[in-house]
Amino acid sequence: MLNRRSFLNQSSLLSLSPFIPGFLSQTAHASKASKDDRILVVIQLDGGNDGLNTVIPFADEIYAKYRDKLRIDKKEIIKLNDSLGLHPGMKDVGKLFDNNQLAIVPGVGYPNPNRSHFRSMAIWHSARLDPTDHTGQGWIGRACDQQQKSGNATPDAVFVGDSTIPAAIIGRRTNSIALNKEEEFMLVSNLAAPDKPVSGDDLQSFVQSTVNSSYTAAKQFAESTKNRSFDKGGYPNYRLARKLHLISRIIRLNSGTRIFYVSQPGYDTHSMQKNTHARLLAEFSRSLKAFLVDIKKAGFSDRIMVMAFSEFGRRVKENASVGTDHGTSGPVFIAGEMVNAGVLSKYPSLEDLQDGDLKSTIDFRSIYTSLLTDWLNIDATVPLGGAFKSLRVVS
Amino acid sequence: MRTWQLYQPTPQQPWTPSRAAHLHRRTVFGATWKELQRDLTGKPQDAVTRVLSDEVRADGVPDEFTSLANLIGNAATEQPNVERLKAWWIYRVLFTPAPLQERLTLMWHNHFATSNLKVNNLSLMKLQNDTFRKHATAPFGDLLHAMLRDPALLIWLDASSNRRGHANENLGRELMELFTLGIGNYSESDVKNAARALTGLTVKEGQFHFDSHRHDAGQKTILTKTGPFNADQLADVLLQNPATAKRLASRLIGEFFSEGVVNETAYNELASQLRTTNLDIGKAVETILRSQLFFSDTNINSRICDPLSFLIAPLRALELFDKPPSTLALSEWLQRMGLDLFYPPNVAGWPGHRTWLTTRTVIARANYAAAVVSGEVYRPAYVSDLQELAKKHSAKKDDTFEKMMKTLLLGGATDLPAKESTNPTTDSREASCVLKLLTGFRAHLH
């Protein structure tokens, strides 16, 4: 009878079809970063991050008025300049700012903000405001569609996490995969992928190509893990850090994948926000810094750009449960050595609110435009469904 | 309702093993060979009747099912051990005489998607689950009113923080967006007023409690109706709104049909039936399962098999139940396939369909298939004799066994071209056959 070990031993029988992706292949090509080698890592802060307590307009007295119990003490705020500062949990992000590795874009939003998690996230994912355009495809997926080369089965985008692949990285033909931990990539059976690659959008083709790319990815991953010489240290013990560590390992394998996507859940802080929010921001801040340090050690600094966003900010006035309800605009972070560092937009006025929410001072598609054109070298018009003024986030 | 006319066998759409298997795979997590043969010798509408009246399972239902299920469920909440609670539900799905009820219970879990991540109380999660089961086929109002008293849901959506003069909109918004009307059918002002109507709903010592001091009894205008609405009156306003019937029709169609099979007319007719039957879910399910549309070629093997079906159907087909597999092991597999019971990814639940298949979940499914044939779904591992199964059903010849398994596992899909999918080898021809079928791409369609 078959058992797990004999299956594992036989895994090399997996057929070597010409369809095997370059995913996780070990053939490192020593590279000087060209635009085609550049990588974008997106961190999605899930649930609606309280931007007002993340990038804090501490010099504005109205801030203290709206935030009675949730106010961050001025003394503890990490000052960025004489009016803005970071939540005290974000010391590492503060260091990135001091080292010119961080761009902060306050007040990012879009017209007629929607306070539904799903609708707003769908808008950020699809870069389309009209719900009838929310078809499950996203701005990055559509961008990758434009870069499709025939016969290339390297995943265009990798989502690291245990939930479903976000619409942002789904396109018509884009090959997006999800992974969580490496054990999940070990096939116990000797399974062969189909001989012929399939094309088409119908369900059967989708299933066939997903099964195919999954089995081949498993095979490639099994080979890649034989090389254990990767640096393991330096990451704090957070789920986000573990996900970023796995991304770093895949990047070091020179897989060819240019898009990585992770999410950090928990930002939907309707009640008792203070400690939860501090913990979330510390996880975000420390994990991001560790990742960039690791990437620098690996010599990939000039190839990595990280963007962090949330589907909306929260209401300016705290609610009666010491939390905050769904709001509108919020800050976006862009990090990396190649970033155009600094505070890149105007902080929304606390005097001039709309329905108790911050008016946005910049459209999120301005950031997408720069990331696509200046960083990934992909024309942004089609993925974003129009031309938008670019906010230069790349130095 | 011409679009929902009854399915009757015709020369173009005969009552075949493939159609009978379709009924079982789409609605009740697969069949045994005996159950399939029984249905094939009778009329299709009788087979549907058995599904609807909880007489579909002829094999593997223990006499003492109810008391055993209660024992397992109560032990899980008393310990408390969430893995055991997941195993309890899987035990129910595998052994219940009423599998359609379990499928609908899962549908409601997805509709009122509540996660133990925040609720953090297994008794309340189980209570909610039992409420879904109790009202699975009832008029939807029964379930909605029960949900507005459900402690797990109220904790999940911050109901206790929502009080007079201090609104917390979480429950009000999701009630309209996800549970009843659907987005686009209400205004922000409706959300604010709904939140006011819901003030006073709290949970006290694990029980629903209405705190009249916290309730805002003032006038509210919701969906153009004005009154001093409370939670139940708000629910009635929402239940009477045509958008709710449409949303429920859409939920049921999404549960039982492949994409694109049901056209606009049929969708509207189902919504209209729901409206005229007091949103009777059981009647709508019956309309669906008896319909020609349900048995049409475009609706067969044209939907991504959900993880729970992928988990249970092979166990039913291989009759791995007289000696019960480890439901704890099964629960681990189900999580690896992307369905972590009691932990939906967010308030909108699992999006399902194509999103069930990712690299990670496809590999988990293949490894699960190997675990089934190598006996690792038992703890300790125990290899079931598939030759015995073949003998029992007079399918000793290779091709007879393969044909039987193709029908049960793939819904009788056509022959697999050589080398198209997989070619695992094991010591047993029967095991090899099952593994080959379950790791090929057709196993993911049902």
Side-chain angles (χ1 to χ4, degrees):
Chain A
M1 253 306 151
L2 72 186
N3 59 43
R4 187 176 286 266
R5 183 168 294 123
S6 75
F7 270 149
L8 277 172
N9 289 341
Q10 288 167 0
S11 65
S12 60
L13 295 177
L14 204 146
S15 84
L16 290 162
S17 74
F19 195 46
I20 279 190
F23 176 51
L24 307 174
S25 83
Q26 301 220 47
T27 49
H29 50 290
S31 66
K32 185 165 161 27
S34 77
K35 278 192 169 184
D36 288 347
D37 292 326
R38 287 175 170 180
I39 290 167
L40 176 65
V41 180
V42 178
I43 303 176
Q44 176 173 304
L45 311 178
D46 254 338
N49 175 35
D50 182 15
L52 191 62
N53 268 4
T54 305
V55 180
I56 305 162
F58 63 85
D60 191 333
E61 278 164 18
I62 307 175
Y63 166 69
K65 197 183 89 188
Y66 280 120
R67 294 297 172 93
D68 180 28
K69 297 204 171 64
L70 289 177
R71 179 172 61 236
I72 308 290
D73 192 329
K74 208 179 268 190
K75 290 194 290 289
E76 290 177 32
I77 290 172
I78 301 162
K79 312 280 189 304
L80 299 168
N81 53 37
D82 42 11
S83 62
L84 293 180
L86 293 169
H87 186 285
M90 301 177 80
K91 290 192 179 62
D92 279 351
V93 160
K95 283 179 202 154
L96 293 176
F97 188 82
D98 292 341
N99 295 335
N100 289 326
Q101 290 180 49
L102 185 74
I104 298 175
V105 191
V108 187
Y110 51 86
N112 303 317
N114 195 298
R115 292 168 188 80
S116 152
H117 291 294
F118 310 100
R119 189 51 66 77
S120 193
M121 193 59 97
I123 288 169
W124 278 83
H125 280 174
S126 64
R128 302 289 193 278
L129 304 183
D130 185 344
T132 57
D133 293 334
H134 297 167
T135 57
Q137 297 181 13
W139 67 287
I140 299 174
R142 288 193 173 103
C144 293
D145 280 345
Q146 298 190 63
Q147 299 279 296
Q148 286 281 320
K149 296 171 196 121
S150 61
N152 179 13
T154 301
D156 300 293
V158 172
F159 170 66
V160 175
D162 51 11
S163 48
T164 48
I165 295 179
I169 58 171
I170 291 176
R172 192 171 163 76
R173 300 291 294 275
T174 298
N175 182 7
S176 298
I177 69 163
L179 63 86
N180 196 24
K181 35 183 192 242
E182 65 174 60
E183 296 83 65
E184 292 171 343
F185 276 74
M186 305 298 185
L187 262 182
V188 296
S189 186
N190 54 323
L191 305 172
D195 282 347
K196 288 184 209 142
V198 284
S199 57
D201 289 335
D202 63 82
L203 192 68
Q204 189 158 312
S205 307
F206 163 78
V207 175
Q208 209 166 351
S209 67
T210 306
V211 170
N212 176 80
S213 67
S214 302
Y215 290 175
T216 42
K219 154 87 171 156
Q220 299 286 315
F221 198 86
E223 287 182 359
S224 81
T225 54
K226 288 175 195 153
N227 184 349
R228 287 290 186 171
S229 61
F230 302 134
D231 180 34
K232 287 193 172 180
Y235 284 90
N237 186 23
Y238 289 119
R239 281 170 75 178
L240 180 61
R242 282 195 287 279
K243 290 173 180 176
L244 289 170
H245 188 192
L246 185 53
I247 290 177
S248 152
R249 287 186 42 211
I250 300 171
I251 289 173
R252 283 160 180 254
L253 289 164
N254 256 314
S255 65
T257 295
R258 297 180 66 198
I259 306 294
F260 292 89
Y261 204 105
V262 286
S263 75
Q264 184 199 1
Y267 284 91
D268 196 14
T269 48
H270 282 279
S271 59
M272 305 303 286
Q273 172 177 302
K274 196 154 199 164
N275 292 341
T276 308
H277 195 230
R279 180 174 51 72
L280 289 165
L281 291 179
E283 171 171 3
F284 167 66
S285 172
R286 294 184 60 201
S287 305
L288 173 62
K289 172 89 180 320
F291 174 68
L292 291 175
V293 167
D294 184 24
I295 284 296
K296 188 176 174 66
K297 262 191 262 172
F300 284 85
S301 280
D302 57 344
R303 290 177 51 187
I304 309 291
M305 190 77 78
V306 182
M307 179 189 78
F309 79 100
S310 192
E311 70 266 36
F312 43 60
R314 307 193 76 82
R315 200 152 289 175
V316 173
K317 185 170 168 42
E318 65 192 26
N319 65 22
S321 3
V322 206
T324 49
D325 291 325
H326 300 183
T328 53
S329 68
V332 167
F333 297 93
I334 300 118
E337 288 203 344
M338 304 294 282
V339 82
N340 179 24
V343 179
L344 302 187
S345 66
K346 192 167 163 284
Y347 205 93
S349 162
L350 295 185
E351 283 175 5
D352 181 22
L353 301 179
Q354 189 162 19
D355 300 334
D357 284 318
L358 298 170
K359 286 182 177 172
S360 72
T361 54
I362 185 154
D363 193 293
F364 69 110
R365 290 163 293 187
S366 298
I367 300 171
Y368 287 1
T369 301
S370 179
L371 288 172
L372 290 174
T373 54
D374 304 333
W375 183 247
L376 294 173
N377 198 25
I378 300 173
D379 183 80
T381 323
V382 174
L384 303 185
F388 293 88
K389 191 170 185 297
S390 174
L391 174 76
R392 203 168 57 87
V393 296
V394 182
S395 71
Chain B
M1 297 223 303
R2 262 198 37 228
T3 51
W4 291 100
Q5 62 186 295
L6 293 187
Y7 166 63
Q8 298 294 354
T10 61
Q12 290 75 38
Q13 297 196 330
W15 181 231
T16 56
S18 167
R19 279 205 168 73
H22 165 66
L23 174 66
H24 285 266
R25 296 170 82 221
R26 196 60 76 76
T27 63
V28 291
F29 314 99
T32 64
W33 192 240
K34 194 168 118 191
E35 289 159 356
L36 202 69
Q37 296 310 308
R38 172 203 61 196
D39 287 357
L40 274 169
T41 54
K43 290 183 179 140
Q45 291 298 340
D46 293 341
V48 178
T49 302
R50 278 189 286 272
V51 169
L52 293 166
S53 60
D54 304 332
E55 289 160 5
V56 65
R57 282 188 173 170
D59 292 309
V61 179
D63 293 337
E64 63 284 25
F65 168 74
T66 308
S67 59
L68 274 173
N70 288 343
L71 201 67
I72 297 168
N74 293 337
T77 56
E78 277 160 25
Q79 283 190 332
N81 181 328
V82 72
E83 295 310 316
R84 290 197 178 277
L85 192 67
K86 294 173 193 173
W88 161 74
W89 196 356
I90 290 169
Y91 176 86
R92 294 197 62 101
V93 177
L94 185 54
F95 292 107
T96 178
L100 180 66
Q101 191 186 36
E102 297 301 323
R103 170 154 295 292
L104 294 171
T105 300
L106 181 61
M107 182 183 84
W108 294 127
H109 180 34
N110 208 17
H111 190 81
F112 293 96
T114 305
S115 173
N116 189 48
L117 199 63
K118 180 165 168 184
V119 176
N120 199 22
N121 183 323
L122 297 188
S123 298
L124 298 186
M125 293 306 289
K126 179 169 181 291
L127 178 71
Q128 185 188 63
N129 196 266
D130 284 329
T131 306
F132 291 149
R133 192 168 288 106
K134 181 179 165 195
H135 298 299
T137 52
F140 180 68
D142 295 4
L143 183 57
L144 190 68
H145 283 289
M147 280 298 113
L148 290 175
R149 286 175 173 69
D150 181 69
L153 189 81
L154 296 182
I155 293 171
W156 171 239
L157 296 176
D158 297 312
S160 298
S161 304
N162 181 36
R163 49 203 173 83
R164 184 168 43 131
H166 301 281
N168 183 312
E169 293 170 6
N170 209 4
L171 176 61
R173 181 180 303 278
E174 308 311 5
L175 176 63
M176 291 182 157
E177 178 178 339
L178 298 170
F179 306 155
T180 57
L181 307 175
I183 202 158
N185 295 303
Y186 55 88
S187 69
E188 283 298 315
S189 158
D190 291 329
V191 172
K192 288 199 168 76
N193 282 287
R196 289 176 56 213
L198 294 165
T199 49
L201 307 187
T202 62
V203 178
K204 213 169 166 182
E205 289 161 10
Q207 307 247 335
F208 169 72
H209 174 71
F210 179 72
D211 186 340
S212 56
H213 298 297
R214 292 180 159 208
H215 180 63
D216 177 347
Q219 295 284 319
K220 298 124 193 153
T221 299
I222 302 166
L223 299 162
T224 71
K225 293 191 170 67
T226 301
F229 299 122
N230 63 20
D232 283 329
Q233 290 160 337
L234 165 66
D236 288 333
V237 169
L238 299 175
L239 288 163
Q240 283 154 20
N241 192 291
T244 299
K246 289 195 104 170
R247 183 159 169 79
L248 291 171
S250 162
R251 170 67 75 183
L252 290 168
I253 286 165
E255 192 69 25
F256 292 107
F257 288 96
S258 318
E259 288 167 49
V261 171
V262 179
N263 65 21
E264 192 73 17
T265 314
Y267 163 57
N268 286 330
E269 283 190 11
L270 189 65
S272 156
Q273 179 195 313
L274 277 159
R275 240 184 12 249
T276 54
T277 59
N278 194 23
L279 305 176
D280 193 310
I281 299 300
K283 281 184 187 150
V285 171
E286 175 160 12
T287 296
I288 287 171
L289 297 190
R290 293 199 182 282
S291 72
Q292 192 177 338
L293 209 51
F294 179 77
F295 287 98
S296 66
D297 288 336
T298 49
N299 195 36
I300 296 178
N301 291 330
S302 52
R303 193 184 142 92
I304 304 286
C305 182
D306 60 276
L308 195 55
S309 296
F310 197 93
L311 186 85
I312 301 295
L315 305 175
R316 302 278 314 160
L318 300 178
E319 300 178 26
L320 301 183
F321 39 60
D322 287 338
K323 177 182 162 65
S326 160
T327 44
L328 281 167
L330 294 176
S331 167
E332 278 174 36
W333 282 112
L334 192 62
Q335 286 169 56
R336 288 166 72 174
M337 293 186 223
L339 181 59
D340 193 5
L341 299 172
F342 302 108
Y343 293 88
N346 54 50
V347 292
W350 294 273
H353 301 285
R354 291 188 187 207
T355 66
W356 286 130
L357 292 191
T358 67
T359 311
R360 178 175 155 259
T361 60
V362 167
I363 290 170
R365 286 177 178 210
N367 288 342
Y368 172 66
V372 169
V373 296
S374 64
E376 287 175 55
V377 290
Y378 289 92
R379 284 182 181 163
Y382 158 83
V383 181
S384 165
D385 191 343
L386 295 183
Q387 279 177 358
E388 273 300 308
L389 179 74
K391 208 163 107 187
K392 179 176 162 188
H393 297 299
S394 317
K396 276 173 80 178
K397 275 195 286 182
D398 260 11
D399 57 340
T400 345
F401 182 79
E402 187 169 349
K403 206 172 159 198
M404 174 170 110
M405 284 301 142
K406 263 186 195 164
T407 306
L408 290 173
L409 299 174
L410 309 185
T414 50
D415 282 347
L416 303 171
K419 284 187 72 186
E420 180 179 36
S421 179
T422 61
N423 61 31
T425 50
T426 70
D427 295 344
S428 141
R429 276 187 309 202
E430 287 81 9
S432 296
C433 165
V434 169
L435 194 55
K436 185 178 84 174
L437 297 178
L438 283 178
T439 54
F441 78 90
R442 287 197 171 86
H444 303 296
L445 293 166
H446 81 177

